[in-house]
Amino acid sequence: MTPGASNARPAPAAIEVHDARVRLGDTDVLRGVNLRVPMGQMVALIGPNGSGKTTLLRCLLGLQRLDAGNVRILGEPVGPKVLRRVGYVPQRLPLDPSFALCVREFLALRRPDTRLWFFRRTRATDDILLRHAPGLGMEPLLSRPLSGLSGGQLQRVLIAYSLLGDPELLLLDEPTAGVDTPGEQDFYQLIGDVHARLGITIVLVSHDLGMVFRRASWVYALNGVICCEGRPEEVINANSLKAAYGIHVTPYHHHHHSHAPVPPEGVPITLHRR
Amino acid sequence: MPDFLMEPFMQRALLMALALGPACGLLGVFVTARRMSFFSDTIAHSALTGVAAGFLAGFEDPTLPVLSFCIMVAVTMLWLRERTRLLNDTIMAVLLSVSVAMGVILLSLQRNRWAELDKYLLGDVLSVGWSDVAWAAAAAVAVTVAVLASLNPLALLAAHEDLAHVSGARVRLLNYGFVILLTLAVSLSIRALGILLVTSMVVLPPATARMLVHTLRAHVLLTVAFGLTGAVGGVLLSYPLNLPTGPTVTMTFGALFAASLLVARLRSPARP
């Protein structure tokens, strides 16, 4: 399906969520979420703690059942078949230090052509691993134990792992939790490079507003429902954040003194308030 | 060949050690990685109720009732973990204490069986029969085949359960399968090692090996080697030293652990 073809059907969205409702215990965590993420975008899903970010992510990954509504990813209902085309980068690995698993062994688990019986190490395996996760600095880490890595190194290993599955959609959960500030900047640079190089859809789930302002092309603010969505400079203004977070927030703009346009009043903000 | 090796009870004990030492170690790699040491302890303690209930129901050999009851407790544990918000530790402490209490009460109802309590708590290598050896051999084969065949998904599961699910692993099947194999190995090892010490055969070999290696491949191989050495070595030592077999096996594991700690410290003083 080429972009120029006039009567081609529109490409399916990377993510389509229709009226998703989830109740956990006594709480309605998702109260009718509607969301459409087009293919090839790098978007952010933001929201305060308890806003349902993690629950929505779990629905997308087939880890949480919906009470009502439906979710499609890459044009298909969530299931093992479509999940093969999805990369997931968790916040961290809750690894016990008593578990001996080195980076090479962990990465090799992602691909059938590197998954060797009893982790036999070969030159060919290393080549495949490095070829499919380039630019992530994996080579010096391959023989290191996973439990001895720094937060930033582990984060890169997790991205490499997800890229080894040749994903069309990459979901990152609070990707910079546990990474220091310079590490955080490197991290977003890296994700930006991955997006530019591979053109895949990337969804960053985060409560970190500064990152969203700089990196994402589109932002969804969640608080049980999608309170508002738009370009970062549109969503991140006091009013829409108030809608999302229920409190008054003054966003901190990093380019305060530059000539970057501060969002003018009256920018179109899509509001789905219920 | 020393005379004591000609004794049939000694041969049975050695075969048990040969089968269950490596199998328990193999499972132990993932038990320790997934912080499930207390889990195997709970299963072991629940065997007491299985023994007592078995006698009460008229079984002369309580292996089957023990296995069934332990698997029931293990599955209950998994089910409670999935369905409630209780912490793992809480669930296990509840099941452990209740099944020990129930076991002791059921035994106390059968005065003629009261002596069995010691046998099962501390192990009694003299009571190991050929049918126990056959069970142990079958369990060892099942554990080895299953673990080696699912080494990759098990490793992923130990690293991150949700990531394993997204990567296509059948998480629920693996969880239940692993726990049932662990229950099989632990409940069969009780005859020789006793309820109180059986967890040592699951936990000590992987802990000993972990101090010396950094890859899963090496960890698995070395753990199996330690499991074999400790179990067989302990049984062999117990006879000439005239010591109870179960505790001697555990002490052998303990000695290997201390030695490996020393080696690890000498190799790199900063670590463990």
Side-chain angles (χ1 to χ4, degrees):
Chain A
M1 208 181 293
T2 54
S6 55
N7 56 357
R9 279 184 23 195
I15 297 174
E16 265 173 306
V17 179
H18 178 66
D19 196 31
R21 290 166 191 274
V22 172
R23 186 178 174 85
L24 296 176
D26 303 331
T27 321
D28 288 311
V29 183
L30 301 182
R31 302 188 297 273
V33 172
N34 289 292
L35 184 75
R36 187 174 193 280
V37 178
M39 290 281 194
Q41 300 286 309
M42 174 147 137
V43 304
L45 178 69
I46 62 166
N49 287 332
S51 61
K53 296 190 299 290
T54 306
T55 305
L56 182 54
L57 185 68
R58 289 175 62 81
C59 292
L60 296 177
L61 294 170
L63 294 163
Q64 171 69 50
R65 213 188 294 266
L66 294 172
D67 293 325
N70 70 73
V71 173
R72 293 174 80 83
I73 49 179
L74 302 169
E76 291 183 41
V78 179
K81 186 161 157 271
V82 75
L83 283 175
R84 268 182 237 144
R85 297 151 64 197
V86 175
Y88 163 53
V89 180
Q91 255 181 61
R92 54 178 180 272
L93 290 181
L95 272 185
D96 193 278
S98 61
F99 188 33
L101 188 68
C102 70
V103 173
R104 172 185 292 109
E105 290 172 329
F106 175 66
L107 292 179
L109 293 172
R110 187 67 188 98
R111 296 179 66 86
D113 57 351
T114 52
R115 223 179 286 146
L116 288 173
W117 196 79
F118 216 145
F119 307 107
R120 203 155 43 81
R121 177 190 173 184
T122 66
R123 170 59 52 195
T125 312
D126 283 11
D127 287 345
I128 297 171
L129 295 180
L130 296 174
R131 199 169 58 242
H132 284 83
L136 290 163
M138 283 302 107
E139 193 158 15
L141 298 181
L142 284 179
S143 297
R144 297 268 303 273
L146 262 188
S147 55
L149 300 180
S150 74
Q153 287 169 331
L154 186 59
Q155 199 54 256
R156 278 190 288 139
V157 170
L158 288 170
I159 294 171
Y161 178 87
S162 65
L163 291 183
L164 281 165
D166 298 326
E168 293 161 52
L169 169 64
L170 195 56
L171 300 164
L172 296 99
D173 187 13
E174 295 286 0
T176 53
V179 180
D180 57 10
T181 313
E184 201 176 315
Q185 283 173 2
D186 293 348
F187 173 80
Y188 286 118
Q189 184 64 49
L190 202 89
I191 289 294
D193 292 348
V194 167
H195 184 239
R197 184 157 44 86
L198 301 174
I200 58 179
T201 314
I202 297 183
V203 180
L204 301 155
V205 179
S206 180
H207 64 256
D208 174 4
L209 298 177
M211 171 288 292
V212 165
F213 195 76
R214 281 170 307 213
R215 297 290 175 180
S217 61
W218 200 258
V219 176
Y220 304 85
L222 180 73
N223 201 354
V225 294
I226 298 291
C227 310
C228 62
E229 63 174 276
R231 291 202 305 275
E233 63 273 21
E234 295 164 359
V235 170
I236 301 192
N237 66 57
N239 281 334
S240 54
L241 280 182
K242 195 178 171 200
Y245 287 75
I247 46 159
H248 188 72
V249 189
T250 308
Y252 173 74
H253 288 196
H254 285 261
H255 303 292
H256 228 54
H257 302 291
S258 74
H259 296 291
V262 174
E265 294 207 329
V267 284
I269 294 172
T270 324
L271 278 169
H272 303 292
R273 306 211 58 175
R274 277 157 201 273
Chain B
M1 189 154 58
D3 283 351
F4 67 89
L5 289 182
M6 301 306 287
E7 305 268 10
F9 82 88
M10 200 62 196
Q11 291 169 349
R12 288 195 292 267
L14 276 174
L15 286 173
M16 285 281 274
L18 203 64
L20 292 172
C24 284
L26 203 52
L27 293 166
V29 169
F30 298 97
V31 168
T32 53
R34 305 186 67 191
R35 304 183 180 95
M36 285 168 68
S37 304
F38 196 32
F39 193 103
S40 79
D41 219 24
T42 305
I43 292 171
H45 281 77
S46 66
L48 200 58
T49 304
V51 171
F55 286 145
L56 207 57
F59 282 86
E60 226 13 79
D61 172 5
T63 306
L64 267 180
V66 165
L67 264 179
S68 335
F69 191 76
C70 288
I71 287 179
M72 209 172 79
V73 168
V75 170
T76 308
M77 252 188 296
L78 281 184
W79 188 83
L80 285 174
R81 202 170 67 164
E82 281 176 11
R83 297 299 164 90
T84 66
R85 285 161 181 267
L86 294 171
L87 281 177
N88 277 348
D89 277 3
T90 313
I91 295 171
M92 291 188 270
V94 168
L95 290 172
L96 187 149
S97 44
V98 168
S99 43
V100 168
M102 192 149 82
V104 172
I105 288 177
L106 288 181
L107 268 183
S108 76
L109 296 177
Q110 317 163 66
R111 286 285 158 216
N112 58 329
R113 296 290 192 181
W114 187 249
E116 303 278 343
L117 186 61
D118 275 1
K119 246 193 210 176
Y120 281 90
L121 281 182
L122 300 169
D124 176 17
V125 77
L126 290 173
S127 71
V128 171
W130 284 112
S131 72
D132 295 305
V133 175
W135 271 104
V141 170
V143 166
T144 310
V145 169
V147 171
L148 289 186
S150 49
L151 207 52
N152 286 308
L154 277 176
L156 197 51
L157 198 61
H160 197 290
E161 204 164 298
D162 290 350
L163 198 61
H165 165 88
V166 176
S167 306
R170 295 159 79 184
V171 171
R172 216 147 176 261
L173 182 72
L174 281 169
N175 271 335
Y176 278 85
F178 182 77
V179 160
I180 285 171
L181 285 178
L182 180 64
T183 306
L184 195 65
V186 164
S187 54
L188 292 173
S189 304
I190 285 173
R191 262 298 163 88
L193 275 173
I195 286 167
L196 296 178
L197 291 177
V198 71
T199 299
S200 68
M201 194 146 83
V202 177
V203 173
L204 279 171
T208 307
R210 178 64 184 96
M211 287 185 284
L212 304 173
V213 296
H214 297 298
T215 67
L216 187 57
R217 178 184 168 83
H219 193 203
V220 168
L221 291 172
L222 202 58
T223 299
V224 169
F226 280 137
L228 191 69
T229 316
V232 173
V235 171
L236 285 177
L237 283 174
S238 67
Y239 191 92
L241 297 176
N242 198 21
L243 293 172
T245 307
T248 311
V249 167
T250 300
M251 287 306 288
T252 312
F253 283 131
L256 288 171
F257 181 83
S260 121
L261 190 65
L262 191 70
V263 171
R265 284 208 73 108
L266 289 177
R267 280 203 323 205
S268 120
R271 274 210 335 261

